[in-house]
Structures are given as C-alpha cells and as structure tokens.
Amino acid sequence: MSAVANLHRPLDPQALRRTLEAHRRYLAHRTGGRRANLAYADLSGLKLEGFDLSDADLTGARLSGAMLAGVKLDRAILFGADLRDADLRKASLSKADLRGASLRGANLAGANLAGCDLREGRIALQDRTEGFRYLDHAGGPGELNFAVLTGADLTGAQMTGASALATDFTDANLTDAQLGGARLIKAKLDGANLTGAQVAGADLSGASLRRAILIRVDFSFATVEGADLSDVLRAPPAVVYVDERPLGQVLAAHEAFCDSGGRAGAAARLAEVDFRPVVTLKRRKLSGLIAPGSVLFGMNLEGVELQGADLSRCDLRGTNLRMADLRGARLIDAQLTRADLRGAMLGPLEIGQGRFVRADLSRANLRQADLRRAFALRARFLEADLSDAKLDGCILTDAELDG
C-alpha cells in the first residue's frame, strides 16, 4: 500500500474534542494545555465554525468542504493542506503558513489573510514502491483557482508564483502583496486595493481591474494583455487647478460663502476633481458642495460639514467620515468601501418650513463600511451594497432598505 494513501488519519469525535479543549487551554496559558497537532488529520466536511485554532499544526490536513466560517487560524501551519471548497468566510488566517495549500473553490469572503504565505510548496513523502512522491490534492500546489476572496484582507500576503485562475478578489485589500510570477489569468480584481503590490512577472491576462487602486504599482514586467483597466485609481497629482485657480483657493472661497451666508466667496462646482492633493478636509465647512464623480479616496474628512452636498459617484473608499454632517447629501453610486462613518449624520436636511431633503445612498457601495452609531433616519439605501458593514447602534428608523 502506498505511503501517500495511508497518510491521512481519521479522528473520532471524542479525540477531536479533547484536542480542541487542550488547545483552548494552551492558548489561555492554563494547566493541561497542549498545542493542537492535527497534521495529516482527515477533517474534511467537519463543522469547526468559530473555533480558535491559532498556532495549530495542520500540515497536510484534509479540510476539503469543511465549515470554517469565522474560525481563527492566525499563525497556523497549513502547509500543503487541502482546503478545497472550504467555507472560510470571515475567518482569520493572519500570518498563517499556507504554502502549497489548495484553496480551489474555497470561500474566503471577508477573511483576514494579512501577512499570510500563499506561495507554492510541496510535501514530499517516501513511498515504498515508488520512492519519493508528492502529496497533491487534485490541483497544483499554492492554488487559489476559482476561490472567492471578495473583501478579504491580503495586506502584505506572500503570493509569489501562486495560481489564482478566475479567482474573485473584488474589493480585496492587496496592499504591499507580493504577486511576482503569480498567475492571475481572468481574475476579478474590481475595486481591489493593490497599493504598493509587487507584480513583476505576474500574468494578469484577461483580468478585470475596473476601479482598482494601482498606486505605486509597476506593470512594466507584468502581462496585462486583454485586462480591463478602466477607471483605475493611480497616484494623485501634485497640484490640482480648477479654472486656473488652485483647488485650495476654490475650497477656501466656498467655505467663505458658507460662513457668510452667500455674502462673500463663491459656491464651488467641482465635477470629477481629485481632492487628494489637499490631504485633509477635517472639520471644513463645505455645505452644498457640488462635486459629483470626484476622488476623495483615503482622505481625512472627520467632522466635515457637507449638508446637501452632491457627492454622487465619488470615490470615498477608506475615507474617514467620522462625525461628518452629511444630512441631505447625495451619495448615489458612491464608492464607500471600508469608509469610516462612525457617528456620521445621514438624516434629512431641513430646507424650509416643513420641507426636507433626505440623504440618498442609492446603489452606493458600503461593503465593510463602519456605520456604528451613525444617524441615518429616513436615509435611502436602495440597491446599496451593505455587505459586512458594521451597523451596531446605527439609527435606521424609516430608512429605505431593499427587502
């Protein structure tokens, strides 16, 4: 009998419970604790949701089809593990060793993979009849083909040489990820943040990178034939002029207009303007600002006054909007992925006796946005994407929500 065939060992439920309990005590530094050794264990199809397996040894383990949603696997050793079709939604795999692991078809939506190692790797085993053989899981080593990583955090992930054919990285964070030589053919990277990612030798043929953030990304030595690079966001210009005036002056004039009730300054109309050279708009008074399609990516707008502003189609991804006054603002089709809206005012704006304008976030992308303690009375969220948004304490009384 082949050594490879005999490699995986089944665990009876009682033995697994004892192992998990000992590991729990190990993590809590309690008497009787012992680090879980589940190397080459057959855990396929098991329900392990919510368990803390940080630092566990799962080398070569069989976890195909396992239910691992919300599981903690920080720093775990998953070298050569079989995770095909596993449910790892919102799992935490920070700094996990996933070299050579097969994640084909796995669901890692919203998972934390910051600093993990997804490079190629193989387990070589001695076989009595055939000499050394490799442990494979019906796919190549370091495989992410057809996996779902929408909204996943892959900051600083090591993915050199990894295979991610048709993988869905929509809105994923790949900041400073190492993607040299990775095969990302037909991958979906729409809205993904690739700031500072290393892509030399990567194959992105036919990939979709619509609205992707490509700051400090050099495609000179990457293959991008047939890739969709429409509406990508690159590094900001040093200075922005509006009608031959610096943007800072235009905003100062608008603020004076607001402060004086229209007696001084001038109201600004700034369609499709890149605000990033201004760096911060913290606590600025910009009520009624007209700036559809503009870029405010990653800026500090804490406490800004934007009542009645038109911010439709604006790029507000990762923007700090804590305590911002957005009453009656138009945020239709706005990109607000991972935006911080804690305590923001998104209620109706009074424009006359008994007359109000509601905040409109129809079709806005609010994936993973933080709306805790926000005030969104009667706000419109029709067709808005609120996937994984934090809504604890958010007042949504009479708000228009799909379903």
Side-chain angles (χ1 to χ4, degrees), residues 254-308:
H254 184 89
E255 195 162 24
F257 181 84
C258 294
D259 283 336
S260 66
R263 292 185 298 274
R269 302 184 71 89
L270 304 169
E272 300 182 4
V273 168
D274 194 334
F275 281 75
R276 288 178 293 167
V278 178
V279 181
T280 180
L281 293 172
K282 185 176 181 179
R283 298 194 180 95
R284 298 285 295 271
K285 296 181 180 179
L286 301 169
S287 303
L289 181 70
I290 307 299
S294 293
V295 177
L296 297 109
F297 168 79
M299 291 182 65
N300 185 359
L301 276 70
E302 183 176 349
V304 70
E305 294 184 20
L306 284 164
Q307 308 97 310

Side-chain angles (χ1 to χ4, degrees), residues 6 34 82 186 296:
N6 284 329
R34 186 171 61 255
D82 182 1
K186 294 184 179 179
L296 297 109

Side-chain angles (χ1 to χ4, degrees), residues 98-160:
L98 286 154
R99 287 174 298 161
S102 179
L103 287 150
R104 184 185 183 92
N107 190 344
L108 292 133
N112 177 15
L113 293 139
C116 74
D117 196 338
L118 285 156
R119 291 175 294 176
E120 291 181 307
R122 276 186 165 179
I123 295 174
L125 301 162
Q126 189 171 8
D127 191 293
R128 291 180 181 177
T129 58
E130 300 183 34
F132 282 99
R133 292 186 59 189
Y134 290 116
L135 175 65
D136 286 322
H137 304 297
E143 185 194 18
L144 280 160
N145 296 344
F146 308 106
V148 177
L149 288 120
T150 53
D153 186 356
L154 290 143
T155 304
Q158 297 286 335
M159 297 176 65
T160 304

Side-chain angles (χ1 to χ4, degrees), residues 342-343 369-375 389-396:
R342 284 177 288 174
D370 194 341
L371 287 146
R372 287 176 290 179
R373 299 181 302 281
F375 182 80
K390 296 175 182 176
L391 297 168
D392 297 340
C394 179
I395 296 174
L396 292 164

Side-chain angles (χ1 to χ4, degrees), residues 199-204 218-225:
V199 298
D203 190 347
L204 289 139
D218 185 1
F219 282 122
S220 299
F221 300 99
T223 302
V224 291
E225 184 178 355

